[in-house]
Amino acid sequence: MDCMERLLAERACEHLIVDFVHRLDLGEPSSVAELFTEDGVWQWPQDGRLVKGRDALRAYFGSRPADRLSRRLMSNVLVTVASPDTAEAISYFTTYRVDGYDGGMVPAGPPVQVGHYEDTFRKADGAWLLASRRLHLPFGGATPRANSPLS
């Protein structure tokens, strides 16, 4: 694999990482399923959550409350290309989120989650996709209501 191919693979995987959170925060949450391989897996080992396959991923992410407002910040993205068709990444995330949102500005509060993702990627038919995403959450709390005072 030459340098240009490696750079293009890294960039494609970075794009998937950012596209994922944009779709959750600003788009149609169920559409994140399209970023995964057909047999893709989303896992949160801490509470035993395991979602396998595009249909299950679409249903899982599509069940997000309609009145949820969220913004995720991604940083420290490190993609490692293992072969012309496989890669891995670790990226940090910070999530700000409230439920019960009905418009306007919400008072800023602390993030409800800070953690990292461990991702694997697979290239199929010329396109890079997430094969698996594992969530690690060392800092987390309940999602506040928008009409509740944030402290």
Side-chain angles (χ1 to χ4, degrees), residues 24-100:
L24 285 180
D25 292 342
L26 301 172
E28 175 54 44
S30 64
S31 75
V32 301
E34 299 164 15
L35 304 177
F36 284 84
T37 58
E38 285 292 337
D39 60 348
V41 174
W42 186 90
Q43 184 177 15
W44 186 5
Q46 185 174 352
D47 79 349
R49 258 183 257 186
L50 180 66
V51 184
K52 293 183 181 182
R54 273 200 191 141
D55 290 340
L57 289 161
R58 189 172 292 106
Y60 177 79
F61 288 106
S63 69
R64 166 191 164 110
D67 66 351
R68 177 166 285 171
L69 172 67
S70 63
R71 293 296 183 270
R72 289 168 180 81
L73 306 175
M74 300 301 301
S75 65
N76 301 351
V77 177
L78 179 61
V79 176
T80 304
V81 178
S83 76
D85 298 323
T86 61
E88 299 175 344
I90 294 179
S91 56
Y92 292 10
F93 67 88
T94 303
T95 304
Y96 294 87
R97 178 172 68 208
V98 296
D99 285 342

Side-chain angles (χ1 to χ4, degrees), residues 118-150:
E118 290 179 1
D119 297 323
T120 62
F121 303 90
R122 197 165 58 231
K123 188 176 183 182
D125 299 324
W128 285 93
L129 295 169
L130 280 159
S132 68
R133 168 158 274 192
R134 182 182 293 231
L135 174 119
H136 295 273
L137 192 60
F139 303 97
T143 299
R145 299 288 304 169
N147 56 0
S148 299
L150 302 175

